Amino acid sequence: MADKNRMNRVDEQLKEEISKIINQEIQDPHLTGMVSVTGVKTTPDLRYSRVFVSMIGCKSQKENLATLKKCSGYIRSILAKRVNLRMTPELVFEFDESIEYGSRIDKILKDMNIG
């Protein structure tokens, strides 16, 4: 149980820092719109972190994901300086569809005059 709490704290800290790095330090013109880190799931051995992102107002989600993957080494090197972990995990960016899914459900409910 203590291990699970520790992993949750690690995930939360990584989420916060990755979000700051993406929004304040990456100056790539290919990264368009607003990118939000919605969650981070790190493997127990700290080798990999799946970083879930949502994007609002971007030109192309695929292009944004490709840009984030290209910048992952840079993001990871900054993380290593900011987060005190024995090992900085390799970052794997994935698109989080939950927000998009939620807004689709919202729209359907509004169209049906339920919401």
Side-chain angles (χ1 to χ4, degrees):
M1 188 69 190
D3 245 14
K4 188 172 179 163
N5 286 338
R6 179 180 184 271
M7 289 312 298
N8 286 341
R9 283 195 315 270
V10 167
D11 287 345
E12 198 55 41
Q13 188 176 12
L14 289 175
K15 175 184 162 189
E16 201 174 293
E17 290 300 330
I18 292 169
S19 187
K20 282 182 194 172
I21 294 167
I22 290 173
N23 291 310
Q24 297 170 3
E25 299 185 32
I26 293 184
Q27 304 296 324
D28 195 309
H30 297 105
L31 201 59
T32 59
M34 189 178 99
V35 178
S36 298
V37 178
T38 57
V40 174
K41 189 73 185 131
T42 307
T43 57
D45 62 2
L46 297 176
R47 288 191 187 265
Y48 299 96
S49 282
R50 287 172 49 202
V51 181
F52 297 97
V53 294
S54 69
M55 301 167 203
I56 299 169
C58 64
K59 289 180 187 169
S60 163
Q61 292 173 350
K62 282 184 180 176
E63 189 176 327
N64 270 5
L65 266 181
T67 302
L68 287 172
K69 287 176 184 175
K70 191 181 76 183
C71 295
S72 68
Y74 172 71
I75 296 169
R76 188 178 177 203
S77 68
I78 294 175
L79 265 181
K81 294 171 188 161
R82 293 188 185 173
V83 181
N84 187 18
L85 290 174
R86 175 174 30 97
M87 177 177 189
T88 305
E90 198 171 307
L91 306 175
V92 179
F93 288 94
E94 293 182 20
F95 184 69
D96 183 1
E97 296 178 14
S98 63
I99 291 174
E100 205 170 89
Y101 178 76
S103 60
R104 269 200 316 266
I105 298 288
D106 232 20
K107 185 183 180 320
I108 291 169
L109 291 174
K110 281 182 182 159
D111 290 349
M112 294 172 59
N113 289 325
I114 294 174

